[in-house]
């Protein structure tokens, strides 16, 4: 899990948009992943690319969100490759703006094992 605390709630010219938190939860059948992420405040909607690699380094799933307008992300990704239960997966989150200017790039490692989501991730409208 990636986690960052920030006192500011409005963007300034000196601050760049970035990924504050990200967590992935495998579904019980291990063929889908629940992504919960929080972005810092922004004025121009950024693009978010999510690429999940399996333990062999192969792309297991990916998603590209164009001009995402909410600082909270809650999505389901379907694995395109056979799941490797208990394997160490890595999610790559790439945040860009128009013209593909890189704003932030994070990697989140997780095991493909079902765990109950944290209470804070289950609350509607809660930060990830």
């Amino acid at each position: 899990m990636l986690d960052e605390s920030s006192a500011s709630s409005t963007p300034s010219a000196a601050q760049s948009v970035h990924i504050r938190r990200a967590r992935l939860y495998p579904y019980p059948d291990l063929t889908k992943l629940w992504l919960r992420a929080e972005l810092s405040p922004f004025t121009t909607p950024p693009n978010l690319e999510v690429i999940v690699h399996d333990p062999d380094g192969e792309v297991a799933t990916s998603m590209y969100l164009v001009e995402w307008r909410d600082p909270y992300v809650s999505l389901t990704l379907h694995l395109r490759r056979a799941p490797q239960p208990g394997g160490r997966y890595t999610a790559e989150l790439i945040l860009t703006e128009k013209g593909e200017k890189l704003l932030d790039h994070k990697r989140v490692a997780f095991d493909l094992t079902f765990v109950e989501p944290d209470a804070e991730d289950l609350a509607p409208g809660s930060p990830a």
Side-chain angles (χ1 to χ4, degrees):
M1 177 185 86
L2 172 73
D3 190 358
E4 175 203 296
S5 298
S6 175
S8 176
S9 63
T10 56
S12 72
Q15 293 177 309
S16 63
V17 179
H18 59 277
I19 302 161
R20 284 186 169 170
R21 293 179 48 145
R23 179 171 280 179
L24 287 103
Y25 295 101
Y27 277 64
D29 66 6
L30 304 181
T31 64
K32 298 180 288 293
L33 305 171
W34 185 36
L35 169 67
R36 292 285 288 164
E38 178 185 2
L39 309 178
S40 65
F42 52 82
T43 54
T44 302
N47 301 325
L48 177 63
E49 183 173 11
V50 180
I51 306 166
V52 177
H53 297 272
D54 67 16
D56 300 324
E58 299 293 326
V59 174
T61 189
S62 64
M63 184 177 285
Y64 192 81
L65 308 170
V66 177
E67 294 186 0
W68 187 258
R69 298 187 180 273
D70 193 319
Y72 303 110
V73 180
S74 179
L75 300 168
T76 298
L77 293 97
H78 296 260
L79 297 180
R80 295 188 304 243
R81 299 177 51 87
Q84 297 182 35
R88 190 75 164 166
Y89 282 66
T90 304
E92 192 174 2
L93 289 85
I94 305 163
L95 197 62
T96 59
E97 68 179 8
K98 291 180 183 173
E100 298 304 310
K101 176 185 172 190
L102 181 65
L103 300 172
D104 198 5
H105 180 234
K106 303 287 186 205
R107 293 182 195 275
V108 179
F110 64 97
D111 295 324
L112 193 64
T113 304
F114 175 71
V115 293
E116 291 290 337
D118 290 344
E120 67 183 338
D121 287 331
L122 292 173
S126 71

